[in-house]
């Protein structure tokens, strides 16, 4: 029994390859256990797009923006040096973006200093060179441990001024200029305190990256060396992971959770917890949060997976309290909410007239760079890397798409002729006259 022509046509259309390259966020029910060359491509494009936004708006850059640019520059330059058997074409792409990041930093540093002179003076040593998140697990890749979860919340409150003082002592700036790696006992207590949450614990982890970056070997060796680094990295990231998964479970609040999630991914992914924090689904989410102009801002949820729900009413209340913190004044009616988020405040934030959040965008750049480093240096993708052509990265398999579609179309015509010939003799006679040769003649 012959199938009807309509049924045959539908079956053939179902077999044709369908491109999903333009989809920012994959459906929540699709769980990808691996990365592909397309992920490398999309992430590099997103980083370059963000750099172009920073460059075009360099008059509004703040200290955190400059650090974000330096993180991109340092991370990509590190990838160029560390990648084993790199594909020359994709490395050319990475090299181009790293060079562009260096140029953007050179053009923007004047404005960051002008816009935030006091803060720039505190962290000038950090902003004068590329920054690389170095593995804190002695080069190994680790997993979080649920047995290390904090049993109770810490009663030790980390004062922002004391935190800044410890940072300046570590990097040798401000009144510690020329004396880097200065870690007092009070600072060490602050760095290693158990039970901190959210931004407080991510900033604790930041100290260990800074100690490594500025080669503070003596300060670390006197307190346990690489073993102590790995211990606190595992302790903090196990608790950070627990917090992040809790956010995903209850639903992401735009403008409140986005910045924190990206900071968690950046720090713990950079520390070496690749499998737990650098997952394809999280990369899809971060790429989906980027605006069309390249920057990051509170997300409206139009492309967010169903599994990560948004709670708009609660989000507005929490975001309002957070904006009061950013603006330096806490309204009395929001004091309770603001107190709740005191430990959630990032180092600094600035919202531009177009709604772009500078700190959030900088953290996004750092997190995306950590993804690129991991995918290339650890060979996390399952197909060949993209081929670099000018400023466009085209995955190898896409070059065959045109030929595959053409061949499928020709086969479809042949099958339709066979199936439809008993009912449409004139159609089949016309097709036989043309002999279906023209499409084949177009092939090389």
């Amino acid at each position: 029994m012959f199938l009807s022509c309509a049924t045959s046509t539908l079956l053939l259309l179902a077999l044709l390859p369908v491109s999903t390259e333009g989809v920012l966020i994959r459906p929540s029910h699709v769980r990808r256990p691996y990365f592909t060359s397309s992920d490398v491509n999309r992430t590099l494009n997103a980083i370059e797009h963000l750099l172009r936004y920073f460059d075009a708006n360099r008059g509004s850059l703040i200290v955190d923006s400059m650090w974000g640019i330096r993180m991109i520059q340092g991370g990509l330059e590190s990838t160029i040096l560390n990648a084993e058997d790199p594909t020359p074409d994709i490395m050319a792409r990475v090299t181009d973006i790293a060079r562009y990041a260096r140029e953007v930093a050179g053009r923007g540093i004047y404005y960051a200093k002008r816009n935030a002179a006091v803060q720039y003076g505190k962290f000038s040593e950090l902003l004068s060179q590329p920054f690389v998140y170095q593995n804190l697990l002695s080069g190994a890749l680790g997993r979080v441990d649920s047995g290390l979860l904090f049993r109770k919340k810490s009663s030790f409150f980390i004062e922002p001024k004391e935190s800044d003082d410890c940072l300046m002592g570590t990097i040798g700036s401000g009144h510690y200029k020329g004396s880097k790696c200065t870690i007092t006992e009070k600072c060490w207590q602050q760095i290693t305190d158990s039970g901190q949450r959210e931004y407080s614990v991510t900033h604790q982890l930041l100290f260990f990256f800074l100690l490594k970056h500025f080669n503070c070997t003596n300060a670390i060796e006197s307190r346990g060396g690489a073993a102590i680094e790995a211990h606190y990295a595992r302790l903090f990231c196990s608790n950070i992971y627990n917090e992040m998964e809790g956010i995903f479970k209850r639903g992401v609040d735009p403008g409140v959770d986005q910045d924190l999630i990206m900071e968690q991914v950046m720090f713990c992914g950079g520390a070496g917890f690749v499998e737990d924090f650098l997952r394809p689904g999280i990369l899809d989410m971060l790429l989906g949060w980027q605006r069309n102009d390249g920057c990051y801002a509170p997300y409206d949820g139009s492309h967010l997976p169903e599994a990560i729900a948004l709670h708009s009413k609660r989000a507005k209340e929490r975001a309002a309290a957070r904006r009061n913190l950013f603006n330096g004044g806490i309204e009395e009616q929001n004091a309770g909410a603001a107190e709740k988020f005191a430990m959630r405040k990032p180092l600094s934030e600035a919202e531009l007239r177009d709604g772009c959040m500078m700190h959030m965008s900088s953290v996004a750049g750092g997190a995306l760079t950590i993804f690129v480093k991991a995918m290339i240096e650890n060979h996390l993708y399952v197909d060949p890397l993209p081929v670099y052509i000018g400023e466009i990265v085209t995955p190898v398999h896409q070059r065959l798409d045109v030929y595959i579609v053409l061949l499928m179309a020709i086969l479809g015509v042949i099958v339709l002729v066979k199936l439809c010939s008993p009912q449409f003799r004139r159609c089949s006679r016309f097709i036989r006259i043309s002999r279906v040769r023209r499409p084949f003649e177009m092939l090389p």
Side-chain angles (χ1 to χ4, degrees):
M1 182 175 181
F2 290 98
L3 293 172
S4 67
C5 291
T7 305
S8 303
T9 304
L10 290 173
L11 288 174
L12 287 167
L13 289 175
L15 291 173
L16 289 175
V18 179
S19 174
T20 59
E21 202 63 34
V23 180
L24 290 176
I25 295 293
R26 289 173 172 80
S28 59
H29 62 274
V30 177
R31 297 184 180 276
R32 296 188 299 132
Y34 51 80
F35 294 99
T36 67
S37 60
S38 177
D39 294 317
V40 181
N41 175 24
R42 294 188 304 145
T43 309
L44 286 172
N45 288 342
I47 292 171
E48 183 178 14
H49 201 28
L50 176 59
L51 287 172
R52 293 194 183 281
Y53 180 88
F54 282 148
D55 200 15
N57 295 273
R58 54 182 174 272
S60 301
L61 294 181
I62 60 174
V63 167
D64 286 45
S65 308
M66 278 303 307
W67 193 35
I69 297 168
R70 290 300 194 189
M71 286 189 289
I72 294 174
Q73 178 191 350
L76 296 183
E77 289 177 350
S78 172
T79 299
I80 295 169
L81 294 175
N82 297 332
E84 297 181 1
D85 301 322
T87 303
D89 295 320
I90 192 62
M91 285 300 107
R93 173 75 165 149
V94 173
T95 301
D96 283 349
I97 299 177
R99 185 186 301 112
Y100 182 50
R102 184 166 60 250
E103 294 170 357
V104 174
R107 289 191 287 266
I109 198 164
Y110 164 79
Y111 297 98
K113 184 177 181 179
R114 182 196 68 181
N115 295 336
V118 174
Q119 194 180 28
Y120 181 88
K122 292 179 180 180
F123 306 114
S124 58
E125 295 296 320
L126 187 60
L127 306 176
S128 62
Q129 55 186 291
F131 186 85
V132 181
Y133 286 103
Q134 300 182 50
N135 185 293
L136 298 179
L137 304 174
S138 300
L141 298 182
R143 296 298 306 273
V144 297
D145 184 354
S146 59
L148 295 176
L149 297 183
F150 298 140
R151 296 184 179 179
K152 61 180 181 179
K153 180 181 176 181
S154 174
S155 59
F156 181 72
F157 180 71
I158 300 177
E159 293 284 351
K161 291 183 178 180
E162 293 180 358
S163 179
D164 282 358
D165 192 73
C166 292
L167 283 171
M168 289 187 289
T170 304
I171 66 181
S173 63
H175 55 275
Y176 289 102
K177 193 169 184 62
S179 302
K180 66 178 182 179
C181 304
T182 302
I183 308 295
T184 65
E185 287 305 315
K186 188 173 183 179
C187 284
W188 185 252
Q189 179 188 1
Q190 172 182 307
I191 295 169
T192 58
D193 182 55
S194 294
Q196 297 291 335
R197 298 173 55 208
E198 298 170 337
Y199 283 108
S200 293
V201 68
T202 57
H203 292 169
Q204 285 178 301
L205 194 59
L206 171 60
F207 276 100
F208 287 95
F209 284 115
L210 294 175
L211 290 171
K212 206 170 186 68
H213 180 76
F214 287 98
N215 297 315
C216 300
T217 307
N218 292 336
I220 290 295
E221 289 297 333
S222 63
R223 292 176 170 87
I228 206 69
E229 279 183 346
H231 166 72
Y232 282 109
R234 189 168 286 105
L235 174 66
F236 293 151
C237 285
S238 294
N239 285 274
I240 290 171
Y241 178 82
N242 187 56
E243 287 183 2
M244 184 180 72
E245 289 299 307
I247 293 173
F248 291 157
K249 185 176 181 180
R250 67 162 168 75
V252 177
D253 286 344
V256 176
D257 295 320
Q258 290 170 257
D259 186 282
L260 178 62
I261 289 171
M262 291 188 288
E263 192 162 302
Q264 292 169 333
V265 168
M266 177 177 69
F267 285 144
C268 290
F273 298 93
V274 171
E275 189 171 345
D276 295 308
F277 288 88
L278 304 183
R279 307 197 299 262
I282 293 178
L283 176 61
D284 289 338
M285 183 176 65
L286 267 58
L287 292 174
W289 283 344
Q290 188 174 35
R291 296 193 330 187
N292 291 334
D293 59 4
C295 89
Y296 279 73
Y299 189 61
D300 62 8
S302 59
H303 297 290
L304 206 62
E306 295 174 2
I308 304 173
L310 295 170
H311 304 292
S312 57
K313 182 178 180 181
R314 182 160 55 116
K316 290 179 181 179
E317 296 173 352
R318 301 174 75 172
R322 195 169 187 224
R323 278 196 297 273
N324 289 326
L325 282 172
F326 292 153
N327 295 332
I330 301 176
E331 297 180 6
E332 186 175 351
Q333 63 268 30
N334 288 328
E339 181 181 358
K340 181 179 179 181
F341 290 102
M343 67 179 64
R344 306 199 63 171
K345 183 180 178 182
L347 292 179
S348 64
E349 182 60 281
E351 182 176 356
L352 302 190
R353 291 181 179 179
D354 62 2
C356 180
M357 308 297 284
M358 298 302 273
H359 179 275
M360 183 187 295
S361 298
S362 301
V363 174
L368 293 176
T369 302
I370 292 297
F371 268 104
V372 169
K373 279 179 61 65
M375 287 188 286
I376 294 178
E377 293 182 17
N378 298 297
H379 302 284
L380 299 182
Y381 48 87
V382 296
D383 51 3
L385 278 170
V387 172
Y388 177 55
I389 304 175
E391 293 188 353
I392 301 175
V393 179
T394 305
V396 175
H397 63 81
Q398 286 190 356
R399 295 183 297 171
L400 302 176
D401 283 355
V402 175
Y403 302 107
I404 293 174
V405 172
L406 184 59
L407 288 172
M408 292 292 291
I410 294 170
L411 290 174
V413 171
I414 294 173
V415 172
L416 284 174
V417 169
K418 294 295 184 181
L419 292 175
C420 298
S421 57
Q423 301 175 17
F424 302 99
R425 296 183 180 279
R426 293 181 181 179
C427 176
S428 61
R429 187 179 302 114
F430 174 78
I431 296 176
R432 284 199 298 273
I433 293 173
S434 64
R435 298 180 183 179
V436 201
R437 287 180 180 176
R438 293 182 181 276
F440 282 101
E441 292 171 359
M442 296 171 60
L443 290 175

